[in-house]
Amino acid sequence: MARWLCAHGIAAFVLKYRVSQTAARDEGFITQLLARFANLMRLVELMLQIEPLAVADGRQAIRVVRQRAAAWGVAPERIGILGFSTGGVVAR
C-alpha cells in the first residue's frame, strides 16, 4: 500500500507497532496460536493489554512525522493514518 501511495505522489510511512510476542519458528508459532485460541478469554485479555500500546505507537508516529514534516517535505496539517485489520485499531 505504501509503495502504491508513493507511486501516486503521496508520501507514505510504514509503522511497525507493538504486538504480542510469538515463537520464532513456525512449529512453535502454531502451537502458541492453538493454545491462545483454546482459551478465548485469555486471548481477549492479551489483546486488551496490547491494544493501548499499539494505539500509542500510532499516535507517536503521527507526532514524529509532524515534527519532521519540513525536513521530509510533508504538510504537517495533512497527515493521516490508515490501517487494515489490527492496523485499523491502531489508526482509530
Side-chain angles (χ1 to χ4, degrees):
M1 178 58 78
R3 287 188 181 111
W4 185 90
L5 290 167
C6 287
H8 289 82
I10 300 168
F13 302 85
V14 176
L15 169 64
K16 292 187 179 185
Y17 51 88
R18 287 174 274 187
V19 296
S20 65
Q21 290 257 187
T22 59
R25 302 183 69 71
D26 287 347
E27 301 81 17
F29 174 75
I30 291 168
T31 301
Q32 193 175 36
L33 190 65
L34 291 173
R36 285 184 179 171
F37 277 99
N39 186 343
L40 292 179
M41 290 307 295
R42 176 66 189 124
L43 180 61
V44 169
E45 289 173 14
L46 178 63
M47 291 168 57
L48 289 173
Q49 290 172 5
I50 292 171
E51 182 181 321
L53 301 174
V55 171
D57 292 343
R59 290 182 177 153
Q60 179 62 20
I62 290 173
R63 281 192 290 275
V64 168
V65 173
R66 283 192 176 132
Q67 289 169 356
R68 300 180 183 174
W72 292 339
V74 175
E77 71 281 358
R78 297 190 67 189
I79 295 171
I81 187 167
L82 170 72
F84 302 96
S85 190
T86 304
V89 174
V90 174
R92 64 171 188 183

